[in-house]
Amino acid sequence: MTSTGSGQHYRRAIGLGLLGGVVVIYLALVGIMERFAERPVITDVLTLGLFAPALALLVLAYRATVPPRTWVGPPLTPLQVMGTALTAGLAGGALTATFLFINEAVDLTGVFVNAGPSIAAILSLGLTPVWLGPLV
C-alpha cells in the first residue's frame, strides 16, 4: 500500500497520538505513574511519574512526523511536520483528558484500583478542572 494522499500523514498522526493516549492511560491505571511520582528527575520541577507519560507521547509524536517507508509523495514541509506533531499530541492529550473527565464523573476505583484522585492530580498538572491538564 502506498501513501500518497494529502491527509495521509495527519490520519497516521491521529492514530499514533491515540496510541500515545492509550499508553498514558495504561501507565496511570497500572499504577506506574503514582509509584514514580515521588522520584524526581529534576528536583522540585519534574518527577518520573510525569516524565514517563510525557516521554511516551513525545516519542509517538516524533514517530508521526517520520513518513513511512512506503511514502512515495514529496517530502513533508516543515509546516506539515509541525502540524503532524501537534495533531499527534492533541489526539493523545484529548484521549487522556477524556479519561480524566470520566475518572472525575464516575468512580473507577471499584474496577481500577489505581484510578483515583492522585492520578488525576498528576495528569492534570494541578489545574482545575482536571481534564484541562493534558490539553496544556
Side-chain angles (χ1 to χ4, degrees):
M1 182 174 158
T2 58
S3 302
T4 57
S6 62
Q8 183 70 25
H9 52 280
Y10 290 115
R11 285 191 291 275
R12 184 169 181 263
I14 290 171
L16 286 172
L18 291 176
L19 177 63
V22 168
V23 169
V24 169
I25 292 169
Y26 172 77
L27 290 174
L29 291 179
V30 169
I32 292 174
M33 288 175 48
E34 192 171 5
R35 293 277 183 181
F36 288 168
E38 300 95 29
R39 305 190 192 282
V41 175
I42 302 172
T43 306
D44 295 331
V45 176
L46 181 65
T47 64
L48 193 56
L50 191 58
F51 180 71
L55 181 65
L57 279 176
L58 285 173
V59 166
L60 286 168
Y62 166 74
R63 190 69 193 123
T65 64
V66 178
R69 292 183 194 152
T70 58
W71 183 264
V72 293
L76 298 177
T77 65
L79 187 61
Q80 287 175 323
V81 170
M82 289 294 294
T84 303
L86 285 173
T87 302
L90 282 174
L95 185 62
T96 306
T98 303
F99 164 70
L100 285 175
F101 184 72
I102 292 171
N103 188 32
E104 187 176 307
V106 179
D107 183 23
L108 297 176
T109 56
V111 179
F112 302 108
V113 177
N114 294 312
S118 61
I119 290 301
I122 293 170
L123 282 175
S124 68
L125 305 172
L127 296 174
T128 355
V130 293
W131 52 270
L132 282 178
L135 296 178
V136 171

